[in-house]
Amino acid sequence: MEHVETFEKGKEDIDGGSSTSDSEYQHALEVVWDDDNAKRRKSSLVSSDNPQKAQQASKKSGSTSCFVHQLLESQRKPRKGQPSLSHNEDRNLDKASDPTNQAIHSRLLTKRQLSQMAIGVRELSKKLGSIRLKLKVKTIFLLTKAHDSDLIGLTRTIAEWLLSKERDTQYTVYVEDTLEDNSKFDAQGLISQDPSHEGRLKYWNNELCRKQPHLFDFAVTLGGDGTLLYASWLFQRIVPPVLSFALGSLGFLTKFDYADHQETLSAAFKDGITVSLRLRFEATIMRTQTAELDKKHDLIEELIGDEVENNLTHKPDGSYTILNDIVVDRGPNPTMSSTELFMDEKFMTSVQADGVCVATPTGSTAYNLAAGGSLCHPENPVILVTAICAHTLSFRPVILPDTVVLRVGVPYDARTSSWASFDGRERVELHPGDYVTISASRYPFANVMPREGGGEDWVGSISRTLNWNNRQRQRAFKEWDQGNK
């Protein structure tokens, strides 16, 4: 018998705990230096340009509107029979930081904290895969391809249906601000149909998604996998549950048919939804602070060697949360790139190749697949590392646990710089001495799944879209009948 959980924002979570304050996971952590963490580089762990100011910032109170992250917070609480964090570790998990830097950076977590965070996400993901969550939805976020005329018309149809007085709930619908003056969408026409639409039809932009993600209870996308990736990009921290209608080319992530959109949405709001938590990565660019670039330097020594007191060799220069992959490649340079890989506090290898692709399980069917990497079920908690056209016969794709912090750096003696891209966006140049840290994000992507989803749905998607293992069946032997010589 299917289990249904009703969840109301600001109320009790799935384990019966109380709602948590937004500051508990929206701010960077203070780092504690202990014997078990002696070799962690201070330069890699600095949370802002002014760490002292970050540590002195006061806490902000308030509750999150995202049910997923309230449930995630409950997973951090120790249960009977489980070891709890030490006093210092627990204090640091609850420590607020600079209000202008409101994302907790997983690269700041100790090995133990990162492992406990990953385990908590896995436990919650298993729960959510076997229950239906009934949400109190009032505000809906609509996302489509703003340059596609056909999709704009379909978006208008859904918005009109949601705004109708026939709905049991008077929804507030947010569409992209570029549609406000779009003749195909005809916002004024919608408002003229019913004056109440004017107060309930609103517009979002990138800034609103970044600063007030808790504003939205539910998200609906119309397009392909790229549209859903854009939703992940817009919501870098808290992301509402996303239901995607398949109107693109392939459709690994878009599970619902637009032709049934009224039935699908009605059932989601009335009967509840099944959610798949997709692992996302947090990637942070670290810039070298070495002033004398002509001097002999060694990136390996800087990252895993003995550190000099108060010598910050690197500082952060932007963080991104991604759903598919981080690619560090040669960019416009005509020659291959030279990069060095580090796993936690150990040097892995040097890579001479066109680049390196670091993918999530969700991104295993994207660039990782094209580069020869493994297909990976999205429920696997792993990091996939694949070289792009490596100039060697021995570099094979590797799969790492999601509890490690991976770093991809450009050595000081590299002939050229490299370029990093994050889910195919925000291309950034990495100069010699720079590197990127990659670790599991505290903010997974909540993808709404069909009730009959699961492993069979994933196998069906790769068979349908990629013709995986599609081959004519081998014929059986035909027995020779000795009577017919």
Side-chain angles (χ1 to χ4, degrees), residues 181-400:
D181 299 320
N182 186 284
S183 59
K184 182 75 174 181
F185 186 77
D186 189 18
Q188 292 302 318
L190 276 177
I191 295 173
S192 64
Q193 294 178 14
D194 187 337
S196 69
H197 291 178
E198 185 172 7
R200 295 189 291 121
L201 178 61
K202 299 184 178 182
Y203 304 94
W204 60 263
N205 54 32
N206 293 9
E207 191 74 5
L208 183 66
C209 296
R210 185 178 68 86
K211 290 186 175 181
Q212 301 184 54
H214 58 277
L215 189 63
F216 311 107
D217 303 322
F218 199 79
V220 177
T221 69
L222 293 85
D225 292 340
T227 306
L228 189 135
L229 285 174
Y230 184 44
S232 174
W233 183 260
L234 288 172
F235 296 99
Q236 286 285 291
R237 296 186 290 115
I238 295 174
V239 53
V242 179
L243 188 151
S244 302
F245 289 108
L247 293 166
S249 301
L250 289 178
F252 289 106
L253 299 171
T254 52
K255 305 297 183 181
F256 297 91
D257 187 355
Y258 178 82
D260 304 321
H261 69 271
Q262 294 185 13
E263 295 80 1
T264 299
L265 292 173
S266 295
F269 299 150
K270 181 180 179 181
D271 303 328
I273 59 174
T274 299
V275 172
S276 171
L277 291 185
R278 297 296 183 101
L279 171 67
R280 295 202 293 178
F281 290 162
E282 176 197 284
T284 302
I285 299 171
M286 304 296 295
R287 298 292 188 187
T288 180
Q289 296 301 292
T290 304
E292 302 176 9
L293 292 180
D294 58 336
K295 188 178 179 181
K296 183 68 175 178
H297 292 284
D298 186 357
L299 185 63
I300 299 176
E301 177 63 26
E302 285 188 353
L303 294 189
I304 66 175
D306 295 333
E307 63 182 351
V308 180
E309 187 67 25
N310 297 324
N311 182 23
L312 300 181
T313 59
H314 295 77
K315 73 172 183 179
D317 185 30
S319 293
Y320 308 92
T321 302
I322 62 96
L323 180 60
N324 252 11
D325 50 44
I326 299 105
V327 176
V328 179
D329 59 32
R330 62 189 177 97
N333 299 314
T335 59
M336 63 183 177
S337 66
S338 176
T339 54
E340 292 176 336
L341 301 183
F342 303 82
M343 182 178 68
D344 287 335
E345 305 310 313
K346 296 180 180 179
F347 172 71
M348 285 182 64
T349 187
S350 296
V351 182
Q352 310 294 319
D354 276 355
V356 176
C357 176
V358 182
T360 67
T362 298
S364 69
T365 53
Y367 202 162
N368 171 78
L369 173 66
S374 301
L375 291 176
C376 183
H377 192 283
E379 292 182 4
N380 286 323
V382 295
I383 300 173
L384 297 95
V385 181
T386 305
I388 304 170
C389 297
H391 196 250
T392 175
L393 297 177
S394 58
F395 192 106
R396 311 308 306 162
V398 294
I399 300 176
L400 305 174

Side-chain angles (χ1 to χ4, degrees), residues 54 81 86 90 105 151 162-163 248 276 333 342 347 405 413 430 462:
S86 67
D90 185 62
H105 298 298
L151 293 184
L162 290 170
L163 291 169
S276 171
N333 299 314
F342 303 82
F347 172 71
V405 176
D413 60 355
L430 299 178
I462 62 173

Side-chain angles (χ1 to χ4, degrees), residues 30-43:
E30 175 192 6
V31 177
V32 172
W33 300 97
D34 52 33
D35 295 337
D36 295 332
N37 207 23
K39 281 199 169 184
R40 290 185 70 116
R41 300 293 300 182
K42 289 183 179 179
S43 59

